[in-house]
């Protein structure tokens, strides 16, 4: 009878230990799945950040190209303005020279008129 009771207790303890071991395996498996899920989420976040970085670099390069293009257009416009200013200055000088010649002509015409009237 004592042997039988010992066997029953040993069986109960064995069943209890098997139950605890199964629970430990289940918890470890659940923990492993949680870590795997976290790793997958982190990988997805890293991938999203890398894609965002690539888009940012692409936009940055596009922006840089636009800035360079606008800079070239600005430099061209500045050169055109400088050319126009030079042409205006040249035109002003020619205009002043023309007005001086007109004034000289008018003065000579007046003198000629005076001389013709004196004759």
């Amino acid at each position: 009878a004592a042997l039988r009771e010992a066997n029953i207790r040993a069986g109960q303890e064995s069943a209890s230990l098997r139950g605890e071991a199964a629970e430990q395996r289940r918890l470890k498996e659940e923990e492993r799945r949680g870590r795997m899920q976290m790793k997958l989420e982190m990988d997805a976040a890293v991938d999203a950040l890398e894609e965002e970085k690539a888009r940012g670099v692409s936009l940055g390069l596009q922006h840089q190209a636009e800035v360079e293009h606008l800079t070239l257009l600005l430099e061209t416009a500045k050169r055109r303005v400088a050319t126009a200013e030079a042409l205006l200055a040249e035109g002003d000088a020619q205009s002043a020279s023309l007005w001086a010649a007109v004034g000289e002509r008018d003065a000579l015409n007046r003198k000629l008129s005076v001389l013709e009237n004196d004759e």
Side-chain angles (χ1 to χ4, degrees):
L3 185 59
R4 202 167 125 196
E5 271 185 41
N7 276 340
I8 291 173
R9 269 187 261 132
Q12 289 173 343
E13 286 179 19
S14 177
S16 175
L17 288 174
R18 282 193 307 269
E20 287 178 21
E23 179 65 15
Q24 286 295 323
R25 283 192 304 273
R26 188 189 67 73
L27 290 174
K28 283 184 180 182
E29 180 62 23
E30 192 175 296
E31 185 179 315
R32 186 188 70 78
R33 276 192 225 123
R35 283 194 311 268
M36 287 298 292
Q37 181 64 32
M38 189 183 313
K39 181 189 179 312
L40 291 173
E41 290 171 1
M42 294 298 278
D43 287 346
V46 166
D47 289 346
L49 287 172
E50 286 176 353
E51 288 175 16
E52 189 66 28
K53 177 185 170 190
R55 273 195 300 275
V57 167
S58 175
L59 288 174
L61 291 174
Q62 181 181 354
H63 178 73
Q64 182 180 353
E66 288 175 3
V67 167
E68 289 173 2
H69 177 70
L70 291 174
T71 301
L72 289 175
L73 289 176
L74 179 60
E75 289 172 4
T76 300
K78 285 180 180 179
R79 283 194 302 276
R80 287 182 176 169
V81 166
T83 300
E85 287 174 342
L87 290 173
L88 283 173
E90 185 180 316
D92 287 348
Q94 288 177 355
S95 179
S97 176
L98 175 64
W99 284 113
V102 167
E104 193 177 322
R105 180 200 67 193
D106 289 347
L108 289 173
N109 276 335
R110 281 192 299 276
K111 284 182 183 179
L112 181 60
S113 219
V114 168
L115 288 175
E116 287 176 347
N117 286 339
D118 285 345
E119 289 179 2

